Amino acid sequence: MSSEASTRAADTRAEARALSAAATTAGYAPSIHNTQPWRWSVSGDELDLYLDHSRALDVTDPDSRLAIVSCGAALNHALVSLTADGWDAVIARMPNPDHPDHLARLRVDRRIPVSLEARRRRQTVELRHTDRRPIVGTPIDADKLDAIVAAVESAGAGLHLLHPDQVYDLASAADQAQRAEAEDLAWQKEVTYWTGGTRPLSSGIPDAAIPDEVTRTTVPGRDFGYLGQLPVSGEHEDAAAFAILYGPEDGEADWLRAGEALSAAWLTAIELGLSVLPLSATIEVAVTRERMRGLLSGLGRPHLVLRFTTGDPASTAAPHTPRLPEAQVIERF
Ligand SMILES: Cc1cc2nc3c(=O)[nH]c(=O)nc-3n(C[C@H](O)[C@H](O)[C@H](O)COP(=O)(O)O)c2cc1C
């Protein structure tokens, strides 16, 4: 074999390894109720992402909007991994109009220098987790929020930071959404299926990640219908910032982009010492989704509400949720 051919063969092997590692990294992504509604296929120099309907939430998320947002977060995690391995990638989003569940195809394009920031970001992926505790901290510096807005914009979406009076509108809409959901027996059954001791193996939300008492927050957190085992302080959270993640339209491609931006925002926030809680109840219920649209005043269509708080260095980290074995979510050819 000529030296040129052997370099090419080595490059091909390195590309395949990087794509495989990207699919592994993507498994750390956040997802609605930790459903992990994605399936990856690694083959040659391509990595394909599919929506797995068998893990979508038929009652809470009938259009799969939040499942696709979750897949978008996984896609951004995959990209973080490739960048940390020194590869630039080309992404085709919704590459097959006849198969809307085929959400993206990634191909490695060329070698790029590896920066310390890129390596750090891949480590941040493993640190990230959802923290449902009300954190009593100092207000968040404006420059940190600006950095998060910039991260969202560079991922192709927008982030509208709510003014204090809009936070009361959000709180009232979140309350309305949670009441509507709690009255629906099918919704209760679904949330019970995905939480606590009844959840499927290696997915769902364990009791250890659900507050052990009703949290004192202006905007109510997700009502799981019961109390878990996550110790929370009884103090009122007063220094959180709330924002609406939005995009120009309200279709699958926009939800995917919103998920990519969610990941970019969340990883940036962690690196700035902040913690993040997605709040999706107002997006799940059509009437409150319209109220969120109203808060955007024509900027775009709402895809998710986010709460940012200053991380509390004195408190221990909330536990990580489990993940499905790779064999269940990654096909390697
Ligand atoms: C699209 C989306 C919506 C979510 N909505 C909520 C929510 O309304 N309330 C909540 O407590 N957590 C919410 N989460 C957080 C998930 O429950 C969490 O990501 C999942 O349980 C995995 O845990 P981890 O983030 O700690 O890895 C949401 C996550 C995503 C990606």
Side-chain angles (χ1 to χ4, degrees):
M1 198 190 284
S2 69
S3 72
E4 200 183 311
S6 75
T7 311
R8 237 191 350 260
D11 263 2
T12 307
R13 281 196 303 275
E15 283 174 18
R17 269 200 308 275
L19 287 172
S20 181
T24 299
T25 302
Y28 288 98
S31 57
I32 177 80
H33 290 3
N34 198 23
T35 45
Q36 305 162 63
W38 44 70
R39 189 164 53 78
W40 291 95
S41 165
V42 191
S43 139
D45 63 350
E46 286 173 357
L47 177 59
D48 290 286
L49 168 63
Y50 299 89
L51 171 65
D52 183 342
H53 278 287
S54 72
R55 286 196 296 275
L57 302 169
D58 293 342
V59 183
T60 309
D61 188 28
D63 304 328
S64 297
R65 62 172 60 235
L66 296 168
I68 295 176
V69 170
S70 307
C71 289
L75 176 60
N76 183 263
H77 276 32
L79 206 59
V80 165
S81 174
L82 286 170
T83 310
D85 276 338
W87 293 101
D88 195 13
V90 177
I91 307 179
R93 294 174 181 82
M94 319 303 292
N96 192 341
D98 293 334
H99 291 282
D101 292 348
H102 188 183
L103 299 178
R105 166 163 288 174
L106 278 143
R107 274 207 185 97
V108 287
D109 186 24
R110 61 189 173 93
R111 278 268 178 212
I112 49 168
V114 179
S115 65
L116 272 178
E117 289 76 23
R119 290 217 173 114
R120 177 171 169 221
R121 180 139 294 201
R122 184 164 56 188
Q123 289 170 351
T124 307
V125 160
E126 292 185 39
L127 299 175
R128 187 214 56 79
H129 65 279
T130 301
D131 197 340
R132 299 184 176 82
R133 295 171 296 186
I135 297 170
V136 187
T138 47
I140 300 170
D141 297 342
D143 57 342
K144 291 187 177 179
L145 292 171
D146 289 348
I148 295 169
V149 170
V152 165
E153 288 175 356
S154 65
L159 190 70
H160 173 62
L161 298 165
L162 296 183
H163 311 296
D165 52 334
Q166 291 184 312
V167 172
Y168 290 107
D169 288 342
L170 167 65
S172 131
D175 193 48
Q176 182 185 358
Q178 305 224 83
R179 277 172 203 268
E181 290 186 325
E183 282 166 10
D184 180 348
L185 284 180
W187 183 89
Q188 286 174 21
K189 211 170 144 197
E190 191 171 69
V191 83
T192 304
Y193 178 81
W194 285 101
T195 50
T198 51
R199 71 200 155 86
L201 201 63
S202 309
S203 50
I205 309 180
D207 286 344
I210 296 178
D212 67 354
E213 56 180 278
V214 177
T215 53
R216 300 188 59 206
T217 52
T218 308
V219 179
R222 164 85 68 196
D223 179 0
F224 291 99
Y226 71 102
L227 296 172
Q229 292 166 4
L230 175 69
V232 296
S233 89
E235 288 181 71
H236 193 282
E237 165 182 275
D238 48 9
F242 292 89
I244 302 177
L245 184 61
Y246 67 89
E249 300 296 339
D250 200 24
E252 281 85 349
D254 307 279
W255 305 336
L256 190 69
R257 283 277 192 189
E260 294 178 60
L262 167 67
S263 164
W266 205 328
L267 298 175
T268 303
I270 291 174
E271 288 165 4
L272 294 169
L274 305 179
S275 68
V276 178
L277 175 63
L279 296 167
S280 52
T282 55
I283 302 297
E284 290 154 18
V285 176
V287 64
T288 52
R289 193 162 64 243
E290 271 311 301
R291 288 181 68 179
M292 295 302 99
R293 190 178 176 187
L295 290 180
L296 290 174
S297 311
L299 284 173
R301 309 294 290 264
H303 300 315
L304 196 60
V305 172
L306 299 178
R307 181 193 80 170
F308 298 95
T309 38
T310 306
D312 180 356
S315 80
T316 52
H320 287 264
T321 49
R323 289 297 183 272
L324 292 163
E326 285 199 359
Q328 250 177 280
V329 284
I330 307 176
E331 289 172 311
R332 292 184 166 95
F333 294 100

